[in-house]
């Protein structure tokens, strides 16, 4: 399957397709048309067909999609048929929330280690994983086949930690620190800037209010 | 200021401008050109000028932007000059992480109440806010001028809770539940689907790997 030219916008929509298809599968639905999926997901049927055409189409015109097949194929495209080991850096509430999230494991994301600079948190247990001191981070990543580092630390230390992660072979950073990271080409970064998201909400509240005045 | 036609893409970039300008301000920088800001933020100077032109421009050609003025104006556009009261529904790790995040308060988002269906969590204290039972949610929202509800509950209960929120006058939902909410026009929803974000990262890891093989 050739997927070189696919835009991040299309990729950003794949997890949502995967989620809806998983729910349909769990409800025992076997086939679904792009029109029906369109109604559920509130995107146009033509958008759905266009998105799927990036990956060869998945279905026959007029006959609908096989839900289970489509679910599995989109899962493969998302790399969910492979195991990804991750560590969480920062054992505060957010780090612990992510460590405790069992759904990640169901998708092949395996929680392997947790690190914190605060000695009072070292040794604490998060779903069977003991919090380690930062000094052990670099060797742990090298020795435990870690793909993904989740950063739930303050922005003041995030840049330095990211550099160490990259130097020790990490391939991807899921960044919750409120700072943009500069990493070399080939290192994948996905940012979750919670404050930015809240400000966008605030904008939309105020905008709507001044529109209806 | 007229801002009716502004796309969500532009709005999505405003918090990032706000963040960079806040850092520049804290460093004592007084003026910055779109070229300098472009270098820092890794977006083109023409994108920056275009984005700002949506709001009247903020600066004089060739003279650069006044950092403090621009920071304050973008803050106003984002509604950060107003107070927004919020409640968190779901007192698990993620809810507690958000309740403990002091930065929100600095931006005018005031943490007023927390709710959970689990009786063992009711009465616990999160930064001075006591967790209340779900039965108190509706009256609390009506009586405490609550704008924003943060949903950190499982998807199975999120839809029902969202309906109750809307019926009691909530204006915005910051939704961390892994489900899309159907709300009436005028209710703002901002989704943070963490699993979707992680899957996008997984896609990019696998894509990059198969490209370099």
């Amino acid at each position: 399957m050739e997927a070189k030219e696919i835009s991040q916008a299309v990729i950003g929509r794949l997890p949502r397709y995967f989620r809806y298809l998983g729910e349909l599968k769990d409800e025992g639905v076997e086939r679904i048309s792009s029109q029906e999926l369109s109604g559920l997901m509130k995107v146009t049927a033509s958008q759905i067909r266009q998105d799927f055409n990036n990956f060869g189409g998945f279905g026959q015109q007029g006959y609908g999609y096989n839900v289970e097949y489509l679910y599995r194929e989109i899962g493969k495209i998302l790399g969910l048929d492979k195991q990804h080991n991750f560590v969480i850096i920062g054992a505060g509430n957010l780090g612990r929330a992510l460590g405790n999230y069992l759904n990640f494991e169901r998708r092949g994301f395996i929680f392997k280690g947790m690190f914190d600079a605060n000695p009072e948190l070292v040794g604490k247990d998060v779903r069977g994983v003991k919090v380690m001191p930062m000094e052990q981070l670099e060797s742990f990543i090298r020795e435990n086949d870690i793909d993904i580092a989740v950063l739930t630390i303050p922005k003041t230390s995030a840049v330095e930690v990211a550099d160490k992660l990259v130097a020790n072979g990490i391939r991807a950073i899921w960044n919750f620190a409120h700072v943009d990271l500069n990493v070399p080409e080939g290192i994948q970064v996905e940012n979750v800037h919670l404050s930015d998201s809240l400000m966008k909400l605030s904008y939309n509240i105020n905008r709507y209010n001044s529109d209806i005045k």
Side-chain angles (χ1 to χ4, degrees), chain A:
Chain A
M1 193 177 306
E2 186 56 74
K4 293 243 164 99
E5 311 280 341
I6 296 163
S7 76
Q8 289 292 312
V10 176
I11 296 153
R13 288 193 289 270
L14 289 180
R16 192 159 175 260
Y17 288 120
F18 185 75
R19 175 152 50 92
Y20 276 86
L21 290 162
E23 285 169 11
L24 288 165
K25 189 174 72 75
D26 291 347
E27 289 161 15
V29 177
E30 289 182 11
R31 302 199 74 83
I32 191 160
S33 67
S34 52
Q35 283 76 10
E36 291 166 312
L37 198 53
S38 156
L40 274 179
M41 295 184 61
K42 313 218 185 296
V43 293
T44 65
S46 103
Q47 165 99 80
I48 293 173
R49 286 190 299 264
Q50 253 176 42
D51 283 349
F52 290 178
N53 280 340
N54 284 298
F55 305 98
F58 303 124
Q60 289 158 273
Q61 198 75 37
Y63 188 60
Y65 301 106
N66 177 313
V67 170
E68 182 147 3
Y69 171 77
L70 187 53
Y71 175 78
R72 205 170 50 234
E73 289 301 307
I74 292 180
K76 275 191 219 164
I77 293 167
L78 289 168
L80 305 181
D81 55 335
K82 300 185 185 72
Q83 180 174 326
H84 295 287
N85 296 331
F86 71 93
V87 296
I88 297 174
I89 303 161
N93 280 302
L94 181 57
R96 290 201 301 274
L98 296 170
N100 277 311
Y101 199 50
L102 289 166
N103 248 351
F104 295 156
E105 203 125 309
R106 278 180 51 211
R107 303 286 180 238
F109 301 98
I110 312 298
F111 177 35
K112 289 285 190 180
M114 191 161 206
F115 297 86
D116 204 286
N118 179 352
E120 285 177 26
L121 295 177
V122 169
K124 300 239 178 213
D125 182 289
V126 177
R127 200 154 58 81
V129 169
K130 288 261 184 295
V131 178
M132 291 172 268
M134 290 299 282
E135 293 69 34
Q136 294 177 25
L137 174 63
E138 295 172 79
S139 60
F140 189 90
I141 285 173
R142 287 195 308 270
E143 289 158 17
N144 291 277
D145 194 21
I146 305 299
D147 289 313
I148 302 174
V150 184
L151 286 193
T152 56
I153 50 178
K155 66 176 180 178
T156 41
S157 46
V159 172
E160 188 196 328
V161 169
D163 289 345
K164 277 190 195 161
L165 292 167
V166 168
N168 287 280
I170 209 86
R171 294 153 71 201
I173 298 175
W174 199 20
N175 178 39
F176 289 78
H178 203 215
V179 63
D180 297 319
L181 303 172
N182 288 317
V183 296
E185 154 125 38
I187 309 295
Q188 312 301 325
V189 176
E190 180 74 16
N191 292 308
V192 182
H193 290 323
L194 294 174
S195 292
D196 288 14
S197 165
L198 185 56
M199 288 183 203
K200 202 175 161 203
L201 192 61
S202 161
Y203 173 91
N204 283 322
I205 296 172
N206 291 290
R207 189 69 241 148
Y208 184 78
N209 274 17
S210 57
D211 277 0
I212 56 170
K213 260 170 207 158

